Amino acid sequence: MAEIVVLTAHPRLEHSRVNQALLQAANALPTERVQVRDLYALYPDYLIDIPAERAALAQARLVVWQFPFHWYSMPPLLKLWLDEVFGFGWAYGMGGAALEGKDLWLVVSTGGVESAYHPAGQNQHFIDDFWPPMAQTARVAGMRFLPPLVLHGAHRVSDETVREHAALFADRLARYPAWPELEDLPPEAGCEVPADDRPHRKP
């Protein structure tokens, strides 16, 4: 099983220069190190194979969510994947330790330019203000949330910028975990979910 699992989730991948370039860059790396899972290609019917997805994550050290920013969150299929794969008793809660010690990395593109993600811009917040739900998801699962890689203004950037961004993405995957910023990033302590968080089922 691969050390890195890249979950690509773009509902209109054929229209995205950026996400196509990122997908190609990841696919060019050795498959014994990087496994790429294009969720919209795998599950056009939205019927997710939960055992297959959990098996892909089992040996991974780094889990990558690569997606375009949709309404300040992730695309619907990735959210469904999260809801179904990160289940109680597997990813968190009683007996849910399958992901403890792994890293979660967001690789995100936005339609808006960087200045739009500013208190004075149309979105009224820095881009980092939108990460807490995903960071907390990682924490509850015992995963370390890594600083996201973001490309703003995906519709406007030059082809050269797209190539440079894809090359940076590939380099980061190839070098993981030897990233300078990870040296000072402590492991995730985790988040204890109370035993009564879910009602006990009657026999």
Side-chain angles (χ1 to χ4, degrees), residues 13 26 31 45 51 53 66 79 87 112 114-115 128 151 160 170 193:
L13 185 61
T31 55
D45 53 7
E53 294 304 312
Q66 181 220 322
K79 180 57 168 65
E114 186 172 5
S115 60
D128 288 353
L151 180 67
E160 180 61 26
V193 177

PDB file of all heavy atoms in Angstrom, residues 13 26 31 45 51 53 66 79 87 112 114-115 128 151 160 170 193:
ATOM      1  N   LEU A  13     -13.611  18.175 -13.613  1.00  0.00           N
ATOM      2  CA  LEU A  13     -12.158  18.158 -13.758  1.00  0.00           C
ATOM      3  C   LEU A  13     -11.708  18.571 -15.155  1.00  0.00           C
ATOM      4  O   LEU A  13     -10.663  19.210 -15.322  1.00  0.00           O
ATOM      5  CB  LEU A  13     -11.624  16.759 -13.432  1.00  0.00           C
ATOM      6  CG  LEU A  13     -10.109  16.579 -13.425  1.00  0.00           C
ATOM      7  CD1 LEU A  13      -9.452  17.481 -12.384  1.00  0.00           C
ATOM      8  CD2 LEU A  13      -9.745  15.126 -13.168  1.00  0.00           C
ATOM      9  N   ALA A  26       0.803  14.202  -9.597  1.00  0.00           N
ATOM     10  CA  ALA A  26       0.759  13.126  -8.604  1.00  0.00           C
ATOM     11  C   ALA A  26       0.834  11.761  -9.271  1.00  0.00           C
ATOM     12  O   ALA A  26       1.511  10.854  -8.779  1.00  0.00           O
ATOM     13  CB  ALA A  26      -0.509  13.244  -7.769  1.00  0.00           C
ATOM     14  N   THR A  31       4.023   4.660  -7.973  1.00  0.00           N
ATOM     15  CA  THR A  31       2.757   4.218  -7.367  1.00  0.00           C
ATOM     16  C   THR A  31       2.968   3.520  -6.035  1.00  0.00           C
ATOM     17  O   THR A  31       2.040   3.471  -5.220  1.00  0.00           O
ATOM     18  CB  THR A  31       2.008   3.280  -8.320  1.00  0.00           C
ATOM     19  OG1 THR A  31       2.880   2.192  -8.694  1.00  0.00           O
ATOM     20  CG2 THR A  31       1.575   4.020  -9.575  1.00  0.00           C
ATOM     21  N   ASP A  45     -21.647   7.573  -9.405  1.00  0.00           N
ATOM     22  CA  ASP A  45     -22.976   7.331  -8.838  1.00  0.00           C
ATOM     23  C   ASP A  45     -23.064   7.700  -7.367  1.00  0.00           C
ATOM     24  O   ASP A  45     -24.096   7.514  -6.731  1.00  0.00           O
ATOM     25  CB  ASP A  45     -23.367   5.863  -9.013  1.00  0.00           C
ATOM     26  CG  ASP A  45     -22.295   4.910  -8.474  1.00  0.00           C
ATOM     27  OD1 ASP A  45     -21.315   5.387  -7.848  1.00  0.00           O
ATOM     28  OD2 ASP A  45     -22.420   3.694  -8.691  1.00  0.00           O
ATOM     29  N   PRO A  51     -15.121  -0.016   2.459  1.00  0.00           N
ATOM     30  CA  PRO A  51     -13.973  -0.876   2.765  1.00  0.00           C
ATOM     31  C   PRO A  51     -12.759  -0.593   1.876  1.00  0.00           C
ATOM     32  O   PRO A  51     -11.617  -0.602   2.355  1.00  0.00           O
ATOM     33  CB  PRO A  51     -14.515  -2.291   2.536  1.00  0.00           C
ATOM     34  CG  PRO A  51     -15.985  -2.167   2.760  1.00  0.00           C
ATOM     35  CD  PRO A  51     -16.346  -0.809   2.223  1.00  0.00           C
ATOM     36  N   GLU A  53     -11.952   2.277   0.454  1.00  0.00           N
ATOM     37  CA  GLU A  53     -11.359   3.554   0.843  1.00  0.00           C
ATOM     38  C   GLU A  53     -10.588   3.434   2.154  1.00  0.00           C
ATOM     39  O   GLU A  53      -9.496   3.986   2.299  1.00  0.00           O
ATOM     40  CB  GLU A  53     -12.450   4.628   0.952  1.00  0.00           C
ATOM     41  CG  GLU A  53     -13.118   4.969  -0.369  1.00  0.00           C
ATOM     42  CD  GLU A  53     -12.130   5.397  -1.429  1.00  0.00           C
ATOM     43  OE1 GLU A  53     -11.271   6.249  -1.146  1.00  0.00           O
ATOM     44  OE2 GLU A  53     -12.205   4.870  -2.559  1.00  0.00           O
ATOM     45  N   GLN A  66      -7.299  17.015  -2.289  1.00  0.00           N
ATOM     46  CA  GLN A  66      -7.037  17.976  -3.359  1.00  0.00           C
ATOM     47  C   GLN A  66      -8.365  18.352  -4.000  1.00  0.00           C
ATOM     48  O   GLN A  66      -9.046  17.503  -4.577  1.00  0.00           O
ATOM     49  CB  GLN A  66      -6.095  17.362  -4.399  1.00  0.00           C
ATOM     50  CG  GLN A  66      -5.759  18.301  -5.538  1.00  0.00           C
ATOM     51  CD  GLN A  66      -5.720  17.603  -6.862  1.00  0.00           C
ATOM     52  OE1 GLN A  66      -5.257  16.463  -6.966  1.00  0.00           O
ATOM     53  NE2 GLN A  66      -6.205  18.268  -7.901  1.00  0.00           N
ATOM     54  N   LYS A  79     -17.211  15.561   0.655  1.00  0.00           N
ATOM     55  CA  LYS A  79     -17.924  15.616   1.943  1.00  0.00           C
ATOM     56  C   LYS A  79     -18.632  14.300   2.221  1.00  0.00           C
ATOM     57  O   LYS A  79     -18.611  13.794   3.366  1.00  0.00           O
ATOM     58  CB  LYS A  79     -18.937  16.763   1.938  1.00  0.00           C
ATOM     59  CG  LYS A  79     -19.730  16.904   3.248  1.00  0.00           C
ATOM     60  CD  LYS A  79     -18.808  17.087   4.454  1.00  0.00           C
ATOM     61  CE  LYS A  79     -19.552  17.513   5.713  1.00  0.00           C
ATOM     62  NZ  LYS A  79     -20.482  16.490   6.198  1.00  0.00           N
ATOM     63  N   GLY A  87     -15.972   7.009   9.800  1.00  0.00           N
ATOM     64  CA  GLY A  87     -17.089   6.613  10.634  1.00  0.00           C
ATOM     65  C   GLY A  87     -16.736   6.471  12.103  1.00  0.00           C
ATOM     66  O   GLY A  87     -15.584   6.243  12.486  1.00  0.00           O
ATOM     67  N   GLY A 112     -11.535  32.846  -6.571  1.00  0.00           N
ATOM     68  CA  GLY A 112     -11.240  34.220  -6.183  1.00  0.00           C
ATOM     69  C   GLY A 112      -9.745  34.468  -6.044  1.00  0.00           C
ATOM     70  O   GLY A 112      -8.983  33.568  -5.680  1.00  0.00           O
ATOM     71  N   GLU A 114      -6.309  36.245  -4.398  1.00  0.00           N
ATOM     72  CA  GLU A 114      -5.891  36.270  -2.990  1.00  0.00           C
ATOM     73  C   GLU A 114      -6.470  37.465  -2.249  1.00  0.00           C
ATOM     74  O   GLU A 114      -6.857  37.354  -1.074  1.00  0.00           O
ATOM     75  CB  GLU A 114      -4.368  36.274  -2.909  1.00  0.00           C
ATOM     76  CG  GLU A 114      -3.839  36.147  -1.494  1.00  0.00           C
ATOM     77  CD  GLU A 114      -2.341  35.954  -1.447  1.00  0.00           C
ATOM     78  OE1 GLU A 114      -1.684  36.006  -2.508  1.00  0.00           O
ATOM     79  OE2 GLU A 114      -1.820  35.733  -0.324  1.00  0.00           O
ATOM     80  N   SER A 115      -6.561  38.623  -2.912  1.00  0.00           N
ATOM     81  CA  SER A 115      -7.071  39.824  -2.230  1.00  0.00           C
ATOM     82  C   SER A 115      -8.548  39.702  -1.859  1.00  0.00           C
ATOM     83  O   SER A 115      -9.037  40.437  -0.989  1.00  0.00           O
ATOM     84  CB  SER A 115      -6.872  41.057  -3.114  1.00  0.00           C
ATOM     85  OG  SER A 115      -7.558  40.919  -4.349  1.00  0.00           O
ATOM     86  N   ASP A 128      -7.240  31.335   5.746  1.00  0.00           N
ATOM     87  CA  ASP A 128      -7.014  30.468   6.907  1.00  0.00           C
ATOM     88  C   ASP A 128      -8.223  30.417   7.844  1.00  0.00           C
ATOM     89  O   ASP A 128      -8.372  29.458   8.615  1.00  0.00           O
ATOM     90  CB  ASP A 128      -5.795  30.944   7.704  1.00  0.00           C
ATOM     91  CG  ASP A 128      -4.481  30.675   6.990  1.00  0.00           C
ATOM     92  OD1 ASP A 128      -4.505  29.999   5.939  1.00  0.00           O
ATOM     93  OD2 ASP A 128      -3.435  31.142   7.468  1.00  0.00           O
ATOM     94  N   LEU A 151      -3.715  27.697  -4.222  1.00  0.00           N
ATOM     95  CA  LEU A 151      -3.502  28.528  -5.404  1.00  0.00           C
ATOM     96  C   LEU A 151      -4.768  29.353  -5.619  1.00  0.00           C
ATOM     97  O   LEU A 151      -5.850  28.802  -5.849  1.00  0.00           O
ATOM     98  CB  LEU A 151      -3.228  27.675  -6.643  1.00  0.00           C
ATOM     99  CG  LEU A 151      -2.993  28.486  -7.924  1.00  0.00           C
ATOM    100  CD1 LEU A 151      -1.687  29.280  -7.812  1.00  0.00           C
ATOM    101  CD2 LEU A 151      -2.952  27.593  -9.155  1.00  0.00           C
ATOM    102  N   GLU A 160       2.205  29.175 -17.010  1.00  0.00           N
ATOM    103  CA  GLU A 160       3.476  29.003 -16.320  1.00  0.00           C
ATOM    104  C   GLU A 160       3.266  28.872 -14.806  1.00  0.00           C
ATOM    105  O   GLU A 160       3.904  28.032 -14.149  1.00  0.00           O
ATOM    106  CB  GLU A 160       4.404  30.184 -16.610  1.00  0.00           C
ATOM    107  CG  GLU A 160       5.763  30.098 -15.926  1.00  0.00           C
ATOM    108  CD  GLU A 160       6.575  28.873 -16.341  1.00  0.00           C
ATOM    109  OE1 GLU A 160       6.359  28.354 -17.454  1.00  0.00           O
ATOM    110  OE2 GLU A 160       7.409  28.432 -15.524  1.00  0.00           O
ATOM    111  N   ALA A 170       4.276  18.231  -6.700  1.00  0.00           N
ATOM    112  CA  ALA A 170       4.992  16.970  -6.905  1.00  0.00           C
ATOM    113  C   ALA A 170       6.234  16.898  -6.027  1.00  0.00           C
ATOM    114  O   ALA A 170       6.553  15.841  -5.453  1.00  0.00           O
ATOM    115  CB  ALA A 170       5.365  16.815  -8.376  1.00  0.00           C
ATOM    116  N   VAL A 193     -13.291  11.518  22.457  1.00  0.00           N
ATOM    117  CA  VAL A 193     -14.735  11.564  22.261  1.00  0.00           C
ATOM    118  C   VAL A 193     -15.380  10.783  23.401  1.00  0.00           C
ATOM    119  O   VAL A 193     -15.037   9.610  23.613  1.00  0.00           O
ATOM    120  CB  VAL A 193     -15.132  10.958  20.904  1.00  0.00           C
ATOM    121  CG1 VAL A 193     -16.644  10.955  20.740  1.00  0.00           C
ATOM    122  CG2 VAL A 193     -14.465  11.732  19.765  1.00  0.00           C
TER     123      VAL A 193
END
